[in-house]
Coordinates of all heavy atoms in Angstrom, one line a residue:
L1 N 9.5 -3.2 22.8 CA 9.6 -3.9 21.6 C 10.8 -5.1 22.0 O 10.6 -6.3 21.7 CB 10.1 -3.2 20.4 CG 9.0 -2.3 19.8 CD1 9.6 -1.7 18.6 CD2 7.8 -3.3 19.3
F2 N 11.9 -4.6 22.6 CA 13.0 -5.6 22.8 C 12.5 -6.7 23.8 O 12.8 -7.9 23.7 CB 14.1 -4.9 23.5 CG 15.4 -5.6 23.3 CD1 16.2 -5.7 22.3 CD2 15.9 -6.3 24.6 CE1 17.4 -6.5 22.4 CE2 17.0 -7.0 24.7 CZ 17.9 -7.1 23.5
S3 N 11.6 -6.3 24.8 CA 11.2 -7.2 25.9 C 10.2 -8.2 25.3 O 10.1 -9.4 25.5 CB 10.6 -6.6 27.1 OG 9.5 -5.7 26.6
L4 N 9.3 -7.6 24.2 CA 8.3 -8.5 23.6 C 9.1 -9.5 22.8 O 8.6 -10.6 22.6 CB 7.5 -7.6 22.8 CG 6.3 -7.0 23.4 CD1 5.6 -6.0 22.6 CD2 5.2 -7.9 24.0
I5 N 10.2 -9.2 22.0 CA 10.9 -9.9 21.1 C 11.5 -11.1 22.0 O 11.6 -12.3 21.7 CB 11.9 -9.3 20.4 CG1 11.3 -8.3 19.4 CG2 12.9 -10.2 19.8 CD1 12.2 -7.3 18.7
N6 N 12.0 -10.7 23.3 CA 12.5 -11.6 24.1 C 11.5 -12.7 24.6 O 11.8 -14.0 24.7 CB 13.1 -10.9 25.4 CG 14.3 -11.5 26.0 OD1 14.8 -12.6 25.7 ND2 14.9 -11.0 26.9
Y7 N 10.2 -12.4 24.9 CA 9.2 -13.1 25.3 C 8.9 -14.1 24.2 O 8.7 -15.3 24.4 CB 8.0 -12.4 25.8 CG 7.0 -13.4 26.4 CD1 7.1 -13.9 27.6 CD2 5.7 -13.6 25.8 CE1 6.2 -14.7 28.2 CE2 4.9 -14.5 26.2 CZ 5.0 -15.1 27.4 OH 4.0 -15.9 28.0
A8 N 8.8 -13.5 22.9 CA 8.5 -14.5 21.7 C 9.5 -15.4 21.7 O 9.2 -16.7 21.3 CB 8.4 -13.6 20.5
R9 N 10.8 -15.2 21.9 CA 11.9 -16.2 21.8 C 11.6 -17.3 22.8 O 11.8 -18.6 22.5 CB 13.2 -15.5 22.0 CG 14.4 -16.5 22.0 CD 15.8 -15.6 22.1 NE 15.7 -14.9 23.3 CZ 16.1 -15.3 24.6 NH1 16.5 -16.6 24.8 NH2 16.2 -14.6 25.5
F10 N 11.2 -16.9 24.0 CA 11.0 -17.9 25.1 C 9.8 -18.9 24.7 O 9.9 -20.0 25.2 CB 10.7 -17.1 26.3 CG 11.8 -17.1 27.3 CD1 13.0 -16.3 27.2 CD2 11.9 -18.1 28.5 CE1 14.1 -16.3 28.1 CE2 13.0 -18.1 29.2 CZ 13.9 -17.1 29.1
I11 N 8.9 -18.4 24.0 CA 7.7 -19.3 23.7 C 7.8 -19.8 22.3 O 6.8 -20.3 21.8 CB 6.4 -18.6 23.9 CG1 6.2 -17.3 23.1 CG2 6.2 -18.2 25.4 CD1 4.8 -16.7 23.2
G12 N 9.0 -19.7 21.6 CA 9.2 -20.3 20.3 C 8.7 -19.7 19.2 O 8.3 -20.3 18.1
I13 N 8.4 -18.2 19.3 CA 7.8 -17.6 18.0 C 8.9 -16.6 17.5 O 9.6 -16.1 18.2 CB 6.8 -16.6 18.6 CG1 5.5 -17.4 19.1 CG2 6.5 -15.6 17.5 CD1 4.4 -16.6 19.7
N14 N 9.1 -16.7 16.2 CA 9.9 -16.0 15.5 C 9.4 -14.6 15.3 O 8.4 -14.6 14.5 CB 10.5 -16.5 14.1 CG 11.5 -15.6 13.4 OD1 11.2 -14.6 13.2 ND2 12.6 -16.4 13.2
P15 N 9.8 -13.6 15.9 CA 9.0 -12.3 15.8 C 9.1 -11.8 14.4 O 8.0 -11.1 14.0 CB 9.7 -11.3 16.6 CG 11.2 -12.0 17.0 CD 11.0 -13.5 16.8
E16 N 10.2 -11.9 13.6 CA 10.1 -11.4 12.2 C 9.1 -12.0 11.3 O 8.3 -11.4 10.6 CB 11.6 -11.6 11.6 CG 11.7 -11.3 10.2 CD 11.5 -9.9 9.8 OE1 11.7 -9.0 10.6 OE2 11.3 -9.6 8.6
D17 N 9.0 -13.4 11.4 CA 8.0 -14.3 10.8 C 6.6 -13.8 11.3 O 5.8 -13.7 10.4 CB 8.1 -15.7 11.0 CG 9.4 -16.2 10.3 OD1 10.0 -15.7 9.4 OD2 9.8 -17.3 10.5
A18 N 6.5 -13.6 12.5 CA 5.1 -13.3 13.0 C 4.7 -12.1 12.5 O 3.4 -11.9 12.1 CB 5.1 -13.3 14.5
L19 N 5.6 -10.9 12.5 CA 5.1 -9.6 12.0 C 5.0 -9.6 10.5 O 3.9 -9.0 10.0 CB 6.2 -8.6 12.4 CG 5.8 -7.1 12.1 CD1 4.6 -6.8 12.6 CD2 7.1 -6.2 12.5
E20 N 5.7 -10.4 9.8 CA 5.6 -10.4 8.4 C 4.2 -11.1 8.0 O 3.6 -10.8 7.1 CB 6.7 -11.2 7.6 CG 6.5 -11.3 6.2 CD 6.3 -10.0 5.3 OE1 6.7 -8.9 5.9 OE2 5.8 -10.1 4.2
K21 N 3.9 -12.2 8.7 CA 2.6 -12.8 8.5 C 1.4 -11.9 8.8 O 0.4 -11.8 8.0 CB 2.4 -14.1 9.3 CG 3.4 -15.1 8.8 CD 3.4 -16.5 9.6 CE 4.2 -17.6 9.0 NZ 4.4 -18.7 9.9
T22 N 1.5 -11.1 9.8 CA 0.5 -10.1 10.1 C 0.4 -9.1 9.0 O -0.7 -8.6 8.6 CB 0.9 -9.5 11.4 OG1 0.7 -10.4 12.4 CG2 -0.1 -8.4 11.8
N23 N 1.7 -8.6 8.6 CA 1.6 -7.8 7.4 C 0.9 -8.2 6.1 O 0.1 -7.6 5.7 CB 3.1 -7.3 7.0 CG 3.9 -6.5 8.0 OD1 3.3 -6.1 8.6 ND2 5.3 -6.6 7.8
R24 N 1.2 -9.4 5.9 CA 0.5 -10.2 4.6 C -1.1 -10.3 5.1 O -1.8 -10.0 4.1 CB 1.1 -11.5 4.4 CG 2.5 -11.4 3.9 CD 3.1 -12.8 3.7 NE 4.3 -12.6 3.2 CZ 4.9 -13.4 2.2 NH1 4.2 -14.4 1.7 NH2 6.1 -13.3 1.7
K25 N -1.4 -10.6 6.2 CA -2.8 -10.7 6.5 C -3.5 -9.3 6.3 O -4.6 -9.3 5.9 CB -2.9 -11.2 8.0 CG -4.4 -11.4 8.4 CD -4.4 -12.2 9.7 CE -3.7 -11.4 10.9 NZ -3.7 -12.1 12.1
F26 N -2.8 -8.2 6.9 CA -3.4 -6.9 6.7 C -3.6 -6.5 5.3 O -4.7 -5.9 4.9 CB -2.6 -5.9 7.5 CG -3.2 -4.5 7.4 CD1 -3.9 -4.0 8.6 CD2 -2.9 -3.6 6.4 CE1 -4.5 -2.8 8.5 CE2 -3.4 -2.3 6.5 CZ -4.2 -2.0 7.5
I27 N -2.5 -6.7 4.5 CA -2.6 -6.4 3.0 C -3.8 -7.2 2.4 O -4.6 -6.5 1.6 CB -1.4 -6.8 2.3 CG1 -0.2 -5.8 2.8 CG2 -1.4 -6.8 0.8 CD1 1.2 -6.3 2.4
K28 N -3.9 -8.4 2.6 CA -5.1 -9.2 2.0 C -6.4 -8.7 2.4 O -7.3 -8.6 1.4 CB -4.9 -10.7 2.5 CG -6.0 -11.6 1.9 CD -5.8 -13.0 2.3 CE -6.9 -13.9 1.8 NZ -6.8 -15.3 2.3
R29 N -6.6 -8.3 3.6 CA -7.8 -7.8 4.1 C -8.1 -6.4 3.6 O -9.2 -6.0 3.2 CB -8.0 -7.8 5.7 CG -8.0 -9.2 6.2 CD -8.0 -9.3 7.7 NE -8.0 -10.6 8.3 CZ -7.8 -10.8 9.4 NH1 -7.6 -9.9 10.3 NH2 -7.8 -12.2 9.8
F30 N -7.0 -5.6 3.5 CA -7.2 -4.2 3.0 C -7.4 -4.2 1.5 O -8.3 -3.4 1.1 CB -6.0 -3.4 3.3 CG -6.1 -1.9 3.1 CD1 -6.7 -1.1 4.1 CD2 -5.8 -1.4 1.9 CE1 -6.9 0.2 3.9 CE2 -6.0 -0.1 1.7 CZ -6.5 0.8 2.7
Q31 N -6.9 -5.0 0.7 CA -7.2 -5.1 -0.6 C -8.6 -5.7 -0.9 O -9.2 -5.3 -1.9 CB -6.2 -6.0 -1.3 CG -4.7 -5.3 -1.4 CD -3.7 -6.2 -2.0 OE1 -3.9 -7.5 -2.0 NE2 -2.5 -5.6 -2.5
Y32 N -9.0 -6.5 0.0 CA -10.5 -6.9 -0.1 C -11.5 -5.7 0.1 O -12.4 -5.7 -0.6 CB -10.7 -8.1 0.9 CG -12.2 -8.6 1.0 CD1 -12.6 -9.7 0.2 CD2 -13.1 -7.9 1.8 CE1 -13.9 -10.2 0.2 CE2 -14.4 -8.5 1.8 CZ -14.8 -9.5 1.0 OH -16.1 -9.9 1.0
L33 N -11.1 -5.0 1.1 CA -11.9 -3.8 1.3 C -11.9 -2.9 0.1 O -12.9 -2.3 -0.1 CB -11.2 -3.1 2.6 CG -11.6 -1.6 3.0 CD1 -13.2 -1.7 3.2 CD2 -10.9 -1.2 4.1
E34 N -10.7 -2.7 -0.4 CA -10.7 -1.8 -1.7 C -11.5 -2.3 -2.8 O -12.2 -1.5 -3.4 CB -9.2 -1.7 -2.1 CG -8.3 -0.9 -1.1 CD -6.8 -1.0 -1.7 OE1 -6.4 -1.9 -1.9 OE2 -6.2 0.2 -1.7
S35 N -11.5 -3.6 -2.9 CA -12.1 -4.2 -4.1 C -13.6 -4.2 -3.8 O -14.4 -4.0 -4.8 CB -11.8 -5.8 -4.2 OG -12.2 -6.5 -3.2
K36 N -14.1 -4.4 -2.7 CA -15.6 -4.2 -2.4 C -16.0 -2.9 -2.4 O -17.2 -2.5 -2.9 CB -15.8 -4.7 -1.0 CG -15.8 -6.2 -0.8 CD -16.8 -6.9 -1.6 CE -16.8 -8.4 -1.5 NZ -17.9 -9.1 -2.3
A37 N -15.3 -1.8 -2.1 CA -15.5 -0.4 -2.2 C -15.8 -0.2 -3.8 O -16.7 0.5 -4.2 CB -14.6 0.5 -1.6
K38 N -14.7 -0.6 -4.5 CA -14.8 -0.4 -5.9 C -16.0 -0.9 -6.6 O -16.7 -0.4 -7.5 CB -13.6 -0.9 -6.5 CG -13.4 -0.6 -8.0 CD -12.1 -1.1 -8.6 CE -11.8 -0.7 -10.0 NZ -10.6 -1.3 -10.6
E39 N -16.4 -2.1 -6.1 CA -17.6 -2.8 -6.6 C -19.0 -1.9 -6.4 O -19.7 -2.0 -7.2 CB -17.9 -4.2 -6.0 CG -17.0 -5.3 -6.5 CD -17.2 -6.6 -5.7 OE1 -18.2 -6.6 -4.9 OE2 -16.4 -7.5 -5.8
Q40 N -18.8 -1.2 -5.3 CA -20.0 -0.3 -5.1 C -19.8 1.3 -5.6 O -20.6 2.0 -5.3 CB -20.2 -0.1 -3.5 CG -20.7 -1.5 -2.9 CD -21.2 -1.4 -1.4 OE1 -21.1 -0.2 -1.0 NE2 -21.6 -2.6 -1.0
G41 N -18.8 1.3 -6.4 CA -18.5 2.6 -7.0 C -18.1 3.6 -6.0 O -18.4 4.8 -6.2
K42 N -17.5 3.3 -4.9 CA -17.0 4.1 -3.8 C -15.6 4.2 -3.8 O -14.8 3.3 -4.2 CB -17.6 3.7 -2.5 CG -19.1 3.7 -2.4 CD -19.5 3.4 -1.1 CE -20.9 3.3 -0.8 NZ -21.5 2.8 0.5
Q43 N -15.0 5.4 -3.3 CA -13.6 5.6 -2.9 C -13.5 5.5 -1.4 O -14.3 5.9 -0.7 CB -13.2 6.9 -3.4 CG -13.3 7.1 -4.9 CD -12.2 6.2 -5.6 OE1 -11.1 5.9 -5.1 NE2 -12.5 5.9 -6.9
L44 N -12.3 4.8 -0.9 CA -12.2 4.6 0.4 C -12.3 5.9 1.2 O -12.8 6.1 2.3 CB -10.8 3.8 0.8 CG -10.8 2.5 0.3 CD1 -9.5 2.0 0.8 CD2 -11.9 1.7 0.9
Q45 N -11.7 6.9 0.5 CA -11.6 8.3 1.3 C -13.0 8.9 1.5 O -13.1 9.9 2.3 CB -10.6 9.3 0.5 CG -11.0 9.4 -0.9 CD -10.2 8.6 -1.9 OE1 -9.9 7.4 -1.5 NE2 -9.9 9.1 -3.0
D46 N -14.0 8.4 0.7 CA -15.3 8.9 0.9 C -16.1 8.1 1.8 O -17.3 8.5 2.0 CB -15.9 8.9 -0.5 CG -15.2 9.9 -1.5 OD1 -14.6 10.9 -1.0 OD2 -15.1 9.6 -2.7
M47 N -15.7 7.0 2.4 CA -16.5 6.2 3.2 C -16.1 6.4 4.7 O -14.9 6.9 4.9 CB -16.1 4.7 2.9 CG -16.5 4.3 1.6 SD -15.9 2.6 1.1 CE -16.8 1.7 2.4

């Protein structure tokens, strides 16, 4: 992880911002998944 953070710094990427944006992207997609499952009357644990 430390070496990846170092590389990110070299190419001008803020690793904290990058990871947080990925977190938000995952949350958005997962919540879409939840809403679509609910529309079909399903529970995620049953899929």
Side-chain angles (χ1 to χ4, degrees):
L1 285 178
F2 194 84
S3 64
L4 280 169
I5 291 168
N6 216 353
Y7 188 74
R9 177 175 58 84
F10 255 80
I11 61 176
I13 293 174
N14 183 304
E16 172 69 18
D17 289 349
L19 183 57
E20 177 55 21
K21 288 175 182 177
T22 295
N23 289 340
R24 291 177 175 220
K25 180 169 59 179
F26 183 91
I27 290 170
K28 181 180 178 181
R29 292 175 181 175
F30 192 82
Q31 289 176 341
Y32 179 90
L33 168 61
E34 289 177 314
S35 67
K36 285 298 182 179
K38 187 175 181 180
E39 285 178 11
Q40 295 191 0
K42 297 180 179 180
Q43 298 291 328
L44 289 185
Q45 56 266 32
D46 298 326
M47 298 172 65

